[in-house]
Coordinates of all heavy atoms in Angstrom, one line a residue:
M1429 N -6.4 -18.8 10.6 CA -6.0 -19.6 9.5 C -6.8 -19.2 8.2 O -7.8 -19.7 8.0 CB -6.0 -21.1 9.5 CG -4.9 -21.6 10.5 SD -4.9 -23.3 10.6 CE -5.8 -23.6 12.0
P1430 N -6.4 -18.1 7.5 CA -7.3 -17.6 6.5 C -7.2 -18.4 5.2 O -6.3 -19.2 5.0 CB -6.7 -16.2 6.3 CG -5.2 -16.4 6.6 CD -5.1 -17.4 7.7
F1431 N -8.3 -18.3 4.4 CA -8.3 -18.7 3.0 C -7.6 -17.6 2.1 O -8.0 -16.6 2.3 CB -9.6 -19.2 2.6 CG -10.1 -20.3 3.1 CD1 -10.8 -20.4 4.3 CD2 -9.9 -21.6 2.5 CE1 -11.3 -21.6 4.9 CE2 -10.4 -22.8 3.1 CZ -11.1 -22.8 4.2
Y1432 N -6.8 -18.0 1.3 CA -6.2 -17.1 0.4 C -6.5 -17.6 -1.1 O -6.5 -18.7 -1.4 CB -4.8 -17.0 0.4 CG -4.2 -16.3 1.7 CD1 -3.2 -16.8 2.3 CD2 -4.8 -15.1 2.1 CE1 -2.7 -16.2 3.5 CE2 -4.4 -14.5 3.3 CZ -3.3 -15.0 3.9 OH -2.9 -14.4 5.1
R1433 N -6.7 -16.7 -2.0 CA -6.7 -17.0 -3.4 C -5.3 -16.7 -3.9 O -4.8 -15.7 -4.0 CB -7.7 -16.1 -4.2 CG -7.8 -16.4 -5.7 CD -8.6 -15.5 -6.4 NE -10.0 -15.5 -6.0 CZ -10.8 -16.3 -6.3 NH1 -10.5 -17.2 -7.2 NH2 -12.1 -16.4 -5.8
L1434 N -4.8 -17.9 -4.3 CA -3.3 -17.7 -4.9 C -3.5 -18.3 -6.3 O -4.5 -18.6 -6.9 CB -2.3 -18.7 -4.1 CG -2.2 -18.2 -2.6 CD1 -1.3 -19.2 -1.9 CD2 -1.8 -16.9 -2.5
K1435 N -2.3 -18.2 -7.2 CA -2.3 -18.6 -8.4 C -2.8 -20.0 -8.6 O -3.4 -20.3 -9.6 CB -0.9 -18.6 -9.1 CG -0.5 -17.1 -9.2 CD 0.7 -17.0 -10.2 CE 1.1 -15.5 -10.4 NZ 2.0 -15.0 -9.3
T1436 N -2.6 -20.9 -7.7 CA -3.1 -22.4 -7.7 C -4.5 -22.5 -7.3 O -5.1 -23.4 -7.4 CB -2.2 -23.0 -6.8 OG1 -2.2 -22.5 -5.5 CG2 -0.8 -23.2 -7.3
G1437 N -5.2 -21.5 -6.9 CA -6.6 -21.5 -6.5 C -6.8 -21.1 -5.0 O -5.9 -20.4 -4.5
I1438 N -7.9 -21.5 -4.5 CA -8.2 -21.1 -3.1 C -7.4 -22.1 -2.1 O -7.5 -23.2 -2.2 CB -9.7 -21.3 -2.7 CG1 -10.5 -20.4 -3.7 CG2 -9.9 -20.9 -1.3 CD1 -10.3 -18.9 -3.4
V1439 N -6.6 -21.4 -1.3 CA -5.7 -22.1 -0.5 C -5.9 -21.9 1.1 O -6.0 -20.7 1.3 CB -4.2 -21.8 -0.8 CG1 -3.3 -22.6 0.2 CG2 -3.9 -22.1 -2.3
H1440 N -6.1 -22.9 1.8 CA -6.2 -22.7 3.2 C -4.8 -22.7 3.9 O -4.1 -23.7 3.9 CB -7.0 -23.8 3.8 CG -7.4 -23.5 5.3 ND1 -8.1 -24.4 6.0 CD2 -7.4 -22.3 6.0 CE1 -8.4 -23.9 7.2 NE2 -8.0 -22.7 7.2
V1441 N -4.4 -21.5 4.3 CA -3.1 -21.3 4.7 C -2.9 -21.5 6.2 O -3.7 -20.8 7.0 CB -2.5 -19.9 4.4 CG1 -1.0 -19.7 4.9 CG2 -2.6 -19.7 2.9
K1442 N -2.1 -22.4 6.7 CA -2.0 -22.6 8.1 C -0.9 -21.7 8.7 O 0.1 -21.4 8.1 CB -1.6 -24.0 8.5 CG -2.8 -24.9 8.1 CD -2.4 -26.4 8.4 CE -3.6 -27.3 8.2 NZ -3.2 -28.7 8.2
G1443 N -1.1 -21.2 10.0 CA -0.1 -20.4 10.5 C -0.7 -19.3 11.4 O -1.9 -19.0 11.3
T1444 N 0.1 -18.5 12.1 CA -0.5 -17.4 12.8 C 0.2 -16.1 12.2 O 1.2 -16.2 11.6 CB -0.1 -17.6 14.3 OG1 1.4 -17.7 14.4 CG2 -0.9 -18.6 14.9
R1445 N -0.4 -15.0 12.7 CA 0.1 -13.7 12.2 C 0.2 -13.5 10.8 O 1.1 -12.9 10.2 CB 1.5 -13.5 12.9 CG 1.5 -13.5 14.4 CD 3.0 -13.3 14.9 NE 3.5 -12.0 14.5 CZ 3.2 -10.9 15.2 NH1 2.4 -10.8 16.2 NH2 3.7 -9.7 14.8
L1446 N -0.8 -14.1 10.0 CA -0.9 -14.0 8.7 C -1.7 -12.7 8.3 O -2.7 -12.5 9.1 CB -1.5 -15.2 8.0 CG -0.6 -16.5 8.0 CD1 -1.5 -17.7 7.9 CD2 0.6 -16.4 7.0
P1447 N -1.5 -12.1 7.2 CA -2.3 -10.9 6.9 C -3.7 -11.5 6.4 O -3.9 -12.6 5.9 CB -1.6 -10.3 5.6 CG -0.8 -11.5 5.0 CD -0.4 -12.3 6.2
A1448 N -4.7 -10.7 6.7 CA -6.1 -10.9 6.3 C -6.2 -11.0 4.8 O -5.4 -10.3 4.1 CB -7.1 -9.9 6.8
P1449 N -7.1 -11.8 4.2 CA -7.3 -11.8 2.7 C -7.9 -10.5 2.3 O -8.7 -10.0 3.1 CB -8.3 -13.0 2.5 CG -8.7 -13.5 3.7 CD -7.9 -12.8 4.9
C1450 N -7.6 -10.0 1.2 CA -8.0 -8.8 0.5 C -9.6 -8.9 0.5 O -10.1 -9.9 0.0 CB -7.4 -8.6 -0.8 SG -8.1 -7.1 -1.6
S1451 N -10.3 -7.9 1.0 CA -11.7 -7.9 1.0 C -12.4 -7.4 -0.1 O -13.6 -7.2 -0.2 CB -12.2 -7.2 2.3 OG -11.8 -5.9 2.2
V1452 N -11.6 -6.9 -1.1 CA -12.2 -6.2 -2.3 C -13.0 -7.1 -3.1 O -12.5 -8.2 -3.5 CB -11.2 -5.4 -3.0 CG1 -11.7 -4.9 -4.3 CG2 -10.6 -4.3 -2.3
R1453 N -14.3 -6.7 -3.4 CA -15.1 -7.7 -4.4 C -14.9 -7.0 -5.8 O -15.1 -5.8 -5.9 CB -16.6 -7.6 -4.1 CG -16.8 -8.6 -2.9 CD -18.3 -8.5 -2.6 NE -19.0 -9.4 -3.6 CZ -19.2 -10.7 -3.6 NH1 -18.6 -11.4 -2.7 NH2 -19.9 -11.2 -4.5
F1454 N -14.6 -7.7 -6.7 CA -14.6 -7.2 -8.0 C -14.8 -8.2 -9.1 O -15.0 -9.5 -8.8 CB -13.2 -6.6 -8.3 CG -12.0 -7.5 -8.6 CD1 -11.3 -7.7 -9.8 CD2 -11.6 -8.2 -7.4 CE1 -10.3 -8.6 -9.9 CE2 -10.6 -9.2 -7.6 CZ -9.9 -9.3 -8.9
C1455 N -15.0 -7.8 -10.3 CA -15.4 -8.6 -11.4 C -14.2 -9.3 -12.0 O -13.4 -8.6 -12.6 CB -16.2 -7.9 -12.4 SG -17.2 -8.8 -13.5
W1456 N -14.2 -10.5 -11.9 CA -13.0 -11.2 -12.4 C -13.0 -11.3 -13.9 O -14.0 -11.8 -14.5 CB -12.9 -12.7 -11.8 CG -12.4 -12.7 -10.5 CD1 -13.1 -12.4 -9.3 CD2 -11.1 -13.0 -10.0 NE1 -12.3 -12.4 -8.2 CE2 -11.1 -12.9 -8.6 CE3 -9.9 -13.4 -10.7 CZ2 -10.0 -13.0 -7.8 CZ3 -8.8 -13.7 -9.8 CH2 -8.9 -13.5 -8.5
P1457 N -12.0 -10.7 -14.5 CA -12.0 -10.8 -16.1 C -12.0 -12.3 -16.6 O -12.7 -12.5 -17.7 CB -10.7 -10.1 -16.4 CG -10.1 -9.5 -15.1 CD -10.9 -10.2 -13.9
T1458 N -11.6 -13.2 -15.9 CA -11.5 -14.6 -16.4 C -12.9 -15.2 -16.3 O -13.2 -16.0 -17.2 CB -10.5 -15.4 -15.6 OG1 -10.6 -15.2 -14.2 CG2 -9.1 -15.0 -16.0
T1459 N -13.7 -14.9 -15.2 CA -14.9 -15.6 -15.1 C -16.2 -14.6 -15.3 O -17.2 -15.1 -15.6 CB -15.0 -16.2 -13.7 OG1 -15.1 -15.0 -12.7 CG2 -13.9 -17.1 -13.4
G1460 N -16.0 -13.3 -15.3 CA -16.9 -12.5 -15.4 C -17.9 -12.4 -14.2 O -18.9 -11.8 -14.3
K1461 N -17.5 -13.1 -13.2 CA -18.3 -13.0 -12.0 C -17.7 -12.2 -10.9 O -16.4 -12.1 -10.8 CB -18.4 -14.5 -11.4 CG -19.3 -15.4 -12.2 CD -19.4 -16.7 -11.5 CE -20.2 -17.7 -12.3 NZ -19.9 -19.1 -12.0
E1462 N -18.5 -11.6 -10.0 CA -18.0 -10.8 -8.9 C -17.6 -11.7 -7.8 O -18.4 -12.4 -7.3 CB -19.1 -9.7 -8.5 CG -18.4 -8.6 -7.8 CD -19.5 -7.5 -7.4 OE1 -20.3 -7.8 -6.3 OE2 -19.7 -6.7 -8.1
Q1463 N -16.4 -11.6 -7.3 CA -15.9 -12.4 -6.3 C -15.0 -11.6 -5.3 O -14.4 -10.7 -5.8 CB -15.2 -13.6 -6.8 CG -16.0 -14.6 -7.5 CD -15.2 -15.7 -8.1 OE1 -14.6 -15.7 -9.2 NE2 -14.9 -16.7 -7.3
D1464 N -14.8 -12.1 -4.2 CA -13.8 -11.4 -3.3 C -12.5 -11.7 -3.8 O -12.2 -12.9 -4.4 CB -14.0 -12.1 -1.8 CG -15.1 -11.6 -1.1 OD1 -15.8 -10.6 -1.6 OD2 -15.6 -12.2 -0.2
C1465 N -11.6 -10.9 -3.6 CA -10.3 -11.0 -4.1 C -9.5 -12.1 -3.4 O -9.0 -13.0 -4.1 CB -9.5 -9.5 -4.0 SG -7.8 -9.6 -4.4
M1466 N -9.4 -12.0 -2.1 CA -8.8 -12.9 -1.3 C -7.3 -13.2 -1.4 O -6.7 -14.1 -0.9 CB -9.4 -14.3 -1.5 CG -10.9 -14.3 -0.8 SD -11.8 -15.9 -1.2 CE -10.9 -17.0 0.0
A1467 N -6.7 -12.2 -2.1 CA -5.2 -12.2 -2.1 C -4.7 -11.9 -0.7 O -5.3 -11.1 0.0 CB -4.7 -11.4 -3.2
P1468 N -3.5 -12.3 -0.3 CA -3.0 -11.9 1.0 C -2.8 -10.4 0.9 O -2.3 -9.8 0.1 CB -1.6 -12.6 1.0 CG -1.7 -13.8 0.1 CD -2.6 -13.3 -1.0
S1469 N -3.3 -9.7 2.0 CA -3.3 -8.4 2.0 C -2.0 -7.8 2.5 O -1.3 -8.4 3.2 CB -4.4 -7.8 3.0 OG -4.1 -8.1 4.3
A1470 N -1.7 -6.6 2.0 CA -0.4 -6.0 2.2 C -0.7 -4.7 3.0 O 0.2 -4.0 3.7 CB 0.5 -5.6 1.0
Y1471 N -2.0 -4.2 2.9 CA -2.2 -2.9 3.6 C -3.7 -3.0 4.2 O -4.4 -3.9 3.9 CB -2.3 -1.8 2.4 CG -1.1 -1.8 1.6 CD1 -1.0 -2.3 0.3 CD2 0.1 -1.2 2.1 CE1 0.1 -2.3 -0.4 CE2 1.2 -1.1 1.4 CZ 1.3 -1.6 0.1 OH 2.3 -1.6 -0.7
L1472 N -4.0 -1.9 5.0 CA -5.3 -1.7 5.5 C -5.8 -0.3 4.9 O -5.0 0.6 4.8 CB -5.3 -1.7 7.0 CG -5.2 -3.0 7.8 CD1 -5.2 -2.7 9.3 CD2 -6.2 -4.0 7.4
C1473 N -7.1 -0.3 4.6 CA -7.6 0.9 4.2 C -7.6 2.0 5.3 O -8.0 1.7 6.3 CB -9.1 0.7 3.6 SG -9.8 2.2 3.1
D1474 N -7.3 3.2 4.9 CA -7.1 4.3 5.8 C -8.3 5.2 5.6 O -8.4 6.3 6.1 CB -5.9 5.1 5.7 CG -4.7 4.3 6.0 OD1 -4.6 3.8 7.2 OD2 -3.7 4.0 5.2
G1475 N -9.3 4.9 4.8 CA -10.5 5.8 4.6 C -11.3 5.9 5.9 O -11.3 5.0 6.8
A1476 N -12.0 7.0 6.1 CA -12.8 7.3 7.1 C -14.0 6.4 7.2 O -14.7 6.4 6.2 CB -13.1 8.9 7.2
N1477 N -14.3 5.9 8.3 CA -15.6 5.1 8.5 C -15.9 5.1 9.9 O -15.4 4.4 10.9 CB -15.4 3.7 7.9 CG -16.7 2.9 8.0 OD1 -17.6 3.3 8.6 ND2 -16.8 1.8 7.2
E1478 N -16.8 6.0 10.2 CA -17.2 6.2 11.6 C -17.9 4.9 12.2 O -18.3 5.0 13.4 CB -18.1 7.4 11.8 CG -17.2 8.7 11.7 CD -18.0 9.9 11.5 OE1 -19.2 10.0 11.6 OE2 -17.4 10.9 10.9
A1479 N -18.4 4.1 11.3 CA -19.1 2.9 11.8 C -18.1 1.9 12.6 O -18.6 1.1 13.4 CB -19.7 2.1 10.8
N1480 N -16.8 2.0 12.2 CA -15.8 1.2 12.9 C -15.3 1.9 14.2 O -15.2 3.2 14.3 CB -14.7 0.9 12.0 CG -15.2 -0.1 11.0 OD1 -16.2 -0.7 11.0 ND2 -14.3 -0.2 9.8
R1481 N -14.9 1.0 15.1 CA -14.4 1.7 16.4 C -13.1 2.5 16.2 O -12.8 3.4 16.7 CB -14.1 0.5 17.3 CG -14.6 0.8 18.8 CD -14.2 -0.3 19.7 NE -14.5 -1.7 19.2 CZ -14.1 -2.8 19.7 NH1 -13.4 -2.8 20.8 NH2 -14.5 -3.9 19.2
S1482 N -12.4 2.0 15.2 CA -11.1 2.5 14.8 C -11.3 3.9 14.2 O -10.4 4.8 14.1 CB -10.2 1.6 14.0 OG -10.8 1.4 12.8
G1483 N -12.4 4.1 13.7 CA -12.6 5.4 12.8 C -12.2 5.3 11.4 O -12.5 6.3 10.6
T1484 N -11.5 4.2 11.1 CA -11.2 4.0 9.6 C -11.7 2.8 9.1 O -12.1 1.8 9.9 CB -9.6 3.9 9.5 OG1 -9.0 3.0 10.5 CG2 -9.0 5.3 9.8
C1485 N -11.8 2.7 7.8 CA -12.5 1.6 7.1 C -11.8 0.1 7.5 O -12.5 -0.8 7.7 CB -12.3 1.8 5.6 SG -12.7 0.4 4.5
D1486 N -10.4 0.2 7.4 CA -9.6 -1.0 7.9 C -9.8 -2.2 6.9 O -9.5 -3.3 7.3 CB -9.9 -1.4 9.3 CG -9.3 -0.5 10.3 OD1 -8.4 0.3 10.0 OD2 -9.8 -0.4 11.5
A1487 N -10.4 -2.0 5.8 CA -10.4 -3.1 4.8 C -9.0 -3.6 4.4 O -8.3 -2.8 4.1 CB -11.3 -2.7 3.6
P1488 N -9.0 -4.9 4.6 CA -7.6 -5.6 4.1 C -7.4 -5.4 2.7 O -8.5 -5.7 1.8 CB -7.5 -7.0 4.5 CG -9.0 -7.3 5.1 CD -9.7 -6.0 5.1
L1489 N -6.3 -4.9 2.1 CA -6.1 -4.7 0.8 C -4.8 -5.3 0.3 O -3.7 -5.3 0.9 CB -6.0 -3.2 0.5 CG -7.2 -2.3 0.9 CD1 -6.9 -0.9 0.8 CD2 -8.4 -2.7 -0.1
C1490 N -4.9 -6.0 -1.0 CA -3.7 -6.6 -1.5 C -2.9 -5.4 -2.3 O -3.5 -4.3 -2.4 CB -4.0 -7.7 -2.4 SG -4.9 -7.2 -3.9
E1491 N -1.8 -5.8 -2.8 CA -1.0 -4.8 -3.6 C -1.9 -4.2 -4.9 O -1.8 -3.1 -5.1 CB 0.3 -5.5 -4.3 CG 1.3 -5.9 -3.3 CD 2.2 -4.8 -2.8 OE1 2.1 -3.6 -3.5 OE2 3.0 -4.9 -2.0
L1492 N -2.7 -5.2 -5.4 CA -3.5 -4.8 -6.5 C -4.5 -3.7 -6.2 O -4.9 -2.9 -7.0 CB -4.1 -6.0 -7.1 CG -4.9 -5.9 -8.4 CD1 -4.0 -5.5 -9.6 CD2 -5.6 -7.2 -8.8
H1493 N -5.1 -3.9 -5.1 CA -6.3 -3.1 -4.8 C -6.1 -1.8 -3.9 O -6.9 -1.0 -3.7 CB -7.4 -4.0 -4.1 CG -8.1 -4.8 -5.3 ND1 -8.0 -6.2 -5.1 CD2 -8.7 -4.6 -6.4 CE1 -8.6 -6.7 -6.2 NE2 -8.9 -5.8 -6.9
A1494 N -5.0 -1.8 -3.2 CA -4.6 -0.6 -2.4 C -4.3 0.5 -3.3 O -3.4 0.4 -4.2 CB -3.5 -1.0 -1.5
R1495 N -4.8 1.7 -3.1 CA -4.5 2.8 -3.8 C -3.8 3.8 -2.8 O -4.4 4.2 -1.9 CB -5.6 3.5 -4.4 CG -6.2 2.7 -5.7 CD -5.1 2.4 -6.6 NE -4.1 3.6 -6.9 CZ -4.3 4.5 -7.8 NH1 -5.2 4.2 -8.8 NH2 -3.6 5.5 -8.1
Q1496 N -2.5 4.1 -3.0 CA -1.8 5.0 -2.2 C -2.2 6.4 -2.4 O -2.2 6.9 -3.5 CB -0.3 4.8 -2.3 CG 0.5 5.5 -1.4 CD 2.0 4.9 -1.2 OE1 2.3 4.0 -1.9 NE2 2.7 5.3 -0.2
I1497 N -2.5 7.1 -1.4 CA -3.0 8.5 -1.4 C -2.0 9.3 -0.7 O -2.3 10.6 -0.6 CB -4.4 8.7 -1.0 CG1 -4.6 8.2 0.5 CG2 -5.5 7.9 -1.8 CD1 -5.7 8.7 1.3
G1498 N -1.1 8.8 -0.1 CA -0.1 9.6 0.7 C 0.9 8.6 1.5 O 0.8 7.4 1.3
P1499 N 1.8 9.2 2.2 CA 2.8 8.4 2.9 C 2.1 7.4 3.8 O 1.3 7.8 4.8 CB 3.7 9.4 3.7 CG 3.4 10.7 3.0 CD 2.0 10.6 2.5
N1500 N 2.2 6.1 3.5 CA 1.6 5.0 4.4 C 0.1 5.1 4.6 O -0.5 4.9 5.5 CB 2.2 5.1 5.8 CG 2.1 3.6 6.5 OD1 1.9 2.6 5.7 ND2 2.3 3.6 7.6
R1501 N -0.6 5.8 3.5 CA -2.0 5.9 3.6 C -2.5 5.3 2.2 O -2.1 5.6 1.2 CB -2.5 7.4 3.6 CG -2.3 7.9 5.0 CD -2.7 9.4 5.1 NE -4.1 9.5 4.8 CZ -5.2 9.3 5.4 NH1 -5.0 8.8 6.7 NH2 -6.4 9.6 5.0
H1502 N -3.5 4.3 2.4 CA -4.0 3.5 1.3 C -5.5 3.6 1.4 O -6.1 3.5 2.5 CB -3.5 2.2 1.2 CG -2.0 2.2 1.2 ND1 -1.1 2.3 2.3 CD2 -1.1 2.0 0.1 CE1 0.1 2.3 1.8 NE2 0.1 2.0 0.5
L1503 N -6.2 3.5 0.3 CA -7.7 3.4 0.2 C -8.1 2.2 -0.5 O -7.5 1.9 -1.6 CB -8.3 4.7 -0.4 CG -8.1 6.0 0.4 CD1 -8.8 7.2 -0.4 CD2 -8.7 5.9 1.8
C1504 N -9.2 1.6 -0.1 CA -9.9 0.6 -0.8 C -10.7 1.3 -2.0 O -10.9 2.5 -2.0 CB -10.9 -0.1 0.1 SG -12.2 0.7 0.6
P1505 N -11.1 0.6 -3.0 CA -11.8 1.2 -4.1 C -13.1 2.0 -3.6 O -13.4 3.0 -4.2 CB -12.2 -0.1 -4.9 CG -11.2 -1.1 -4.7 CD -10.8 -0.8 -3.3
T1506 N -13.8 1.4 -2.7 CA -14.9 2.1 -2.1 C -14.6 3.5 -1.5 O -15.3 4.5 -1.9 CB -15.7 1.2 -1.0 OG1 -15.9 0.0 -1.7 CG2 -17.1 1.9 -0.7
C1507 N -13.7 3.5 -0.7 CA -13.3 4.8 0.0 C -12.6 5.7 -1.1 O -12.8 7.0 -0.9 CB -12.2 4.4 1.1 SG -13.1 3.6 2.5
L1508 N -12.0 5.1 -2.1 CA -11.4 6.0 -3.0 C -12.4 6.7 -3.8 O -12.3 8.0 -4.1 CB -10.5 5.1 -4.0 CG -9.6 5.9 -5.1 CD1 -8.5 6.6 -4.4 CD2 -9.3 5.1 -6.2
Q1509 N -13.5 6.1 -4.0 CA -14.6 6.8 -4.8 C -15.3 7.9 -3.9 O -15.5 9.0 -4.4 CB -15.7 5.8 -5.1 CG -15.3 5.0 -6.4 CD -16.7 4.3 -6.8 OE1 -17.6 4.1 -6.2 NE2 -16.5 3.9 -8.1
S1510 N -15.5 7.6 -2.6 CA -16.0 8.7 -1.6 C -14.9 9.7 -1.4 O -15.2 10.8 -1.0 CB -16.6 8.1 -0.5 OG -15.6 7.2 0.2
H1511 N -13.7 9.3 -1.6 CA -12.6 10.3 -1.4 C -12.8 11.4 -2.5 O -12.3 12.6 -2.3 CB -11.3 9.6 -1.4 CG -10.1 10.4 -1.1 ND1 -10.0 10.9 0.2 CD2 -8.9 10.8 -1.8 CE1 -8.7 11.7 0.2 NE2 -8.2 11.5 -1.0
G1512 N -13.2 11.0 -3.6 CA -13.5 12.0 -4.7 C -12.3 12.4 -5.5 O -12.4 13.4 -6.1
D1513 N -11.2 11.7 -5.4 CA -10.0 12.1 -6.2 C -10.3 11.8 -7.6 O -10.6 10.6 -8.0 CB -8.8 11.4 -5.6 CG -7.9 12.3 -4.9 OD1 -8.2 13.6 -4.8 OD2 -6.9 11.9 -4.4
S1514 N -10.0 12.7 -8.5 CA -9.9 12.2 -9.8 C -8.7 11.5 -10.1 O -7.6 12.1 -9.8 CB -10.2 13.4 -10.8 OG -9.0 14.2 -10.7
D1515 N -8.7 10.2 -10.3 CA -7.5 9.5 -10.4 C -7.4 8.9 -11.9 O -8.3 8.2 -12.4 CB -7.6 8.3 -9.4 CG -6.4 7.6 -9.2 OD1 -5.7 7.2 -10.3 OD2 -6.0 7.2 -8.2
P1516 N -6.2 9.1 -12.4 CA -6.1 8.6 -13.8 C -6.2 7.1 -13.9 O -6.5 6.6 -15.0 CB -4.6 9.1 -14.3 CG -4.0 9.4 -12.9 CD -5.0 9.8 -12.0
Q1517 N -6.0 6.4 -12.8 CA -6.0 4.9 -12.9 C -7.4 4.5 -12.4 O -7.5 3.2 -12.1 CB -4.9 4.4 -12.0 CG -3.5 4.4 -12.7 CD -2.5 3.6 -12.0 OE1 -2.7 2.5 -11.7 NE2 -1.4 4.2 -11.7
S1518 N -8.4 5.2 -12.1 CA -9.6 4.8 -11.5 C -10.3 3.9 -12.5 O -11.2 3.2 -12.0 CB -10.5 6.0 -11.2 OG -10.8 6.7 -12.4
G1519 N -9.9 3.9 -13.7 CA -10.5 2.8 -14.7 C -10.4 1.4 -14.2 O -11.2 0.5 -14.5
L1520 N -9.3 1.2 -13.4 CA -9.0 -0.1 -12.8 C -10.3 -0.6 -12.0 O -10.5 -1.7 -11.8 CB -7.9 -0.1 -11.9 CG -6.5 0.0 -12.6 CD1 -5.5 0.2 -11.6 CD2 -6.3 -1.4 -13.3
F1521 N -11.0 0.4 -11.4 CA -12.0 0.0 -10.4 C -13.4 0.1 -11.0 O -14.4 0.0 -10.2 CB -12.0 0.9 -9.2 CG -10.5 0.6 -8.5 CD1 -9.7 1.8 -8.3 CD2 -10.1 -0.6 -8.1 CE1 -8.5 1.5 -7.6 CE2 -9.0 -0.7 -7.5 CZ -8.1 0.3 -7.3
T1522 N -13.6 0.4 -12.2 CA -14.9 0.7 -12.6 C -15.8 -0.5 -12.6 O -17.0 -0.4 -12.7 CB -14.9 1.2 -14.2 OG1 -14.1 0.3 -15.0 CG2 -14.3 2.6 -14.3
S1523 N -15.2 -1.6 -12.6 CA -16.1 -2.9 -12.5 C -16.6 -3.3 -11.2 O -17.4 -4.1 -10.9 CB -15.2 -4.1 -12.9 OG -14.1 -4.3 -12.2
I1524 N -16.1 -2.5 -10.2 CA -16.5 -2.7 -8.8 C -17.9 -1.8 -8.7 O -18.2 -1.2 -9.6 CB -15.6 -2.2 -7.7 CG1 -14.2 -2.9 -8.0 CG2 -15.8 -2.3 -6.4 CD1 -13.1 -2.3 -7.5
V1525 N -18.5 -1.8 -7.6 CA -19.8 -1.1 -7.2 C -21.0 -1.9 -7.6 O -21.2 -2.3 -8.8 CB -19.9 0.3 -8.0 CG1 -21.3 0.8 -7.6 CG2 -18.8 1.2 -7.7
Ligands
LIG1266 ZN1 -7.3 -7.5 -3.9
LIG1267 ZN1 -12.0 1.6 2.7

């Protein structure tokens, strides 16, 4: 039963088979503080991470934070940076790190 950040605030959602909350930390424009996104995730990061058993980063990502790099392949902001793609929209992520 994950906690999600929805428009109404932090919500404890009951149920099973729910997507994990988005794990991206970023600076909220409204508060100026760095916080976890916590929006319901739509994707998992496909970036390489050998520290994980799966071999991929697997960070849960919401629509806002998933960057599509190919068919059914998405990267979190951290992996996108190490991916080294010059991305015209990378300005969206400059507040992270
Ligand atoms: Zn997010
Ligand atoms: Zn990642």
Side-chain angles (χ1 to χ4, degrees):
M1429 285 187 267
F1431 284 89
Y1432 290 137
R1433 180 187 298 277
L1434 302 176
K1435 288 197 178 80
T1436 47
I1438 302 291
V1439 179
H1440 194 186
V1441 180
K1442 291 182 181 168
T1444 53
R1445 302 178 61 82
L1446 291 162
C1450 176
S1451 66
V1452 172
R1453 281 182 77 81
F1454 73 112
C1455 194
W1456 284 75
T1458 47
T1459 62
K1461 286 183 189 159
E1462 198 177 87
Q1463 289 177 271
D1464 289 341
C1465 172
M1466 291 177 70
S1469 64
Y1471 308 102
L1472 287 179
C1473 177
D1474 295 301
N1477 186 339
E1478 285 165 18
N1480 286 345
R1481 222 184 314 169
S1482 60
T1484 52
C1485 171
D1486 289 343
L1489 300 167
C1490 68
E1491 294 276 357
L1492 180 68
H1493 288 120
R1495 286 310 314 264
Q1496 189 155 9
I1497 55 159
N1500 207 22
R1501 282 179 61 80
H1502 300 82
L1503 291 183
C1504 70
T1506 310
C1507 291
L1508 187 70
Q1509 279 195 341
S1510 50
H1511 190 65
D1513 252 1
S1514 63
D1515 187 314
Q1517 281 190 52
S1518 62
L1520 281 174
F1521 298 125
T1522 48
S1523 58
I1524 306 162
V1525 180

